[in-house]
Amino acid sequence: MRKKLVVANWKMNGTSADIGAMLTAMQKDSVILNQIDVSVCVPAVFLSNMHAACGPLPISWGAQNVSDKAAGAFTGEISAQMLCDVGCSTVIVGHSERRLYYGENNHWVAQKWLATRKTALTPILCVGESLSEREKGQTLAVVMAQLDAVLKITTAKEFAHTVIAYEPVWAIGTGLTPTTNEVVSVHTALREHLVKQYDSATSQTVRLLYGGSVKGDNAAQLLTLANVDGGLIGGASLKYDTFSPIYKALI
Ligand code: PEP
């Protein structure tokens, strides 16, 4: 049985005080938070504060991006090992905003993903189609190509226990969501694809998150579907009052 996972993606928002306020408010939910996994991915400059800010809170924290390189003359980059050094457990890889605004293609995303597997970080690989791709009936082809770029350079052992987030690009920050049938059909196809590429046992260790306009009022519906193991949450993860109903909906 896979434990539910909720990942907060703060994107380029908030201050250290905002993060502290949310984590302090979350302390009262410790009993709930012990039953699921929650990881808060904050801007990189705040990561080294997270150990102190989280205190006894039973959650982990992570980054929103990582370099594909291990070390060296790569100005502005942050390596997977550095993220481990400041206590990160997770890292978002290949978010659609990075693909769209920073030119991260499938090959580059796969190299970043591989860099994380040389450390203890758990990568959260984002895949998802644009609106025009969905309208042309290309959803599964796009999503599988994004996944295959990683699968072709990794082994079943390396892929086991990692996370894939299905995030339709048109659903991110728009208030639009796919139907529950559409979500189940992509997630089931992802799971079956992993069985085909590797084996059933490996596939069962991988958590498949849904992301895109998840809020307190649709979390129970979207995040408890077959083959949905939790959610990747953007806008609603910035404040306790909007984030906590999402993880509470999974209990
Ligand atoms: C995201 O950015 O990963 C995301 C899912 O955003 P939102 O929840 O705001 O749609």
Side-chain angles (χ1 to χ4, degrees), residues 9 11 95 97 167 171-174 211-215 232-236:
N9 175 14
K11 312 194 190 201
H95 190 279
E97 288 152 12
E167 299 207 302
I172 295 180
T174 58
S213 294
V214 176
K215 308 271 179 266
L232 176 52
I233 319 299

Side-chain angles (χ1 to χ4, degrees), residues 2-220:
R2 292 175 298 274
K3 205 169 178 186
K4 290 279 185 188
L5 169 65
V6 178
V7 178
N9 175 14
W10 275 51
K11 312 194 190 201
M12 197 173 71
N13 290 301
T15 62
S16 50
D18 294 331
I19 294 167
M22 187 173 86
L23 297 175
T24 302
M26 285 172 71
Q27 303 281 352
K28 56 177 165 293
D29 298 335
S30 283
V31 172
I32 292 168
L33 295 168
N34 270 313
Q35 298 170 58
I36 54 173
D37 287 336
V38 171
S39 198
V40 181
C41 295
V42 296
V45 288
F46 301 130
L47 287 170
S48 56
N49 297 338
M50 288 300 275
H51 185 76
C54 287
L57 203 54
I59 66 167
S60 68
W61 59 92
Q64 302 167 12
N65 184 29
V66 64
S67 176
D68 57 329
K69 307 287 192 298
F74 302 105
T75 303
E77 289 291 274
I78 299 175
S79 73
Q81 196 52 55
M82 290 169 182
L83 296 179
C84 287
D85 197 13
V86 291
C88 289
S89 300
T90 60
V91 57
I92 298 169
V93 180
H95 190 279
S96 62
E97 288 152 12
R98 297 217 53 92
R99 292 177 188 262
L100 192 62
Y101 305 136
Y102 302 97
E104 291 189 8
N105 58 24
N106 286 349
H107 172 75
W108 193 9
V109 168
Q111 294 302 316
K112 285 170 179 253
W113 187 97
L114 199 58
T116 71
R117 298 314 278 154
K118 300 198 165 44
T119 70
L121 286 176
T122 299
I124 298 159
L125 173 68
C126 296
V127 297
E129 82 288 359
S130 67
L131 186 57
S132 73
E133 288 163 343
R134 172 160 284 271
E135 284 169 350
K136 284 187 251 163
Q138 297 170 341
T139 297
L140 288 183
V142 168
V143 163
M144 295 311 165
Q146 291 169 333
L147 176 57
D148 280 341
V150 173
L151 298 187
K152 76 175 185 212
I153 57 165
T154 192
T155 62
K157 196 168 164 216
E158 281 171 328
F159 205 85
H161 301 287
T162 65
V163 179
I164 301 171
Y166 168 55
E167 299 207 302
V169 179
W170 52 272
I172 295 180
T174 58
L176 302 172
T177 56
T179 65
T180 52
N181 282 346
E182 286 167 341
V183 174
V184 170
S185 109
V186 175
H187 280 236
T188 303
L190 285 167
R191 183 87 62 208
E192 283 169 359
H193 196 69
L194 293 176
V195 174
K196 240 185 277 157
Q197 296 300 308
Y198 297 133
D199 51 76
S200 174
T202 303
S203 150
Q204 290 302 321
T205 67
V206 175
R207 286 187 282 188
L208 303 179
L209 309 185
Y210 167 76
S213 294
V214 176
K215 308 271 179 266
D217 58 8
N218 61 13

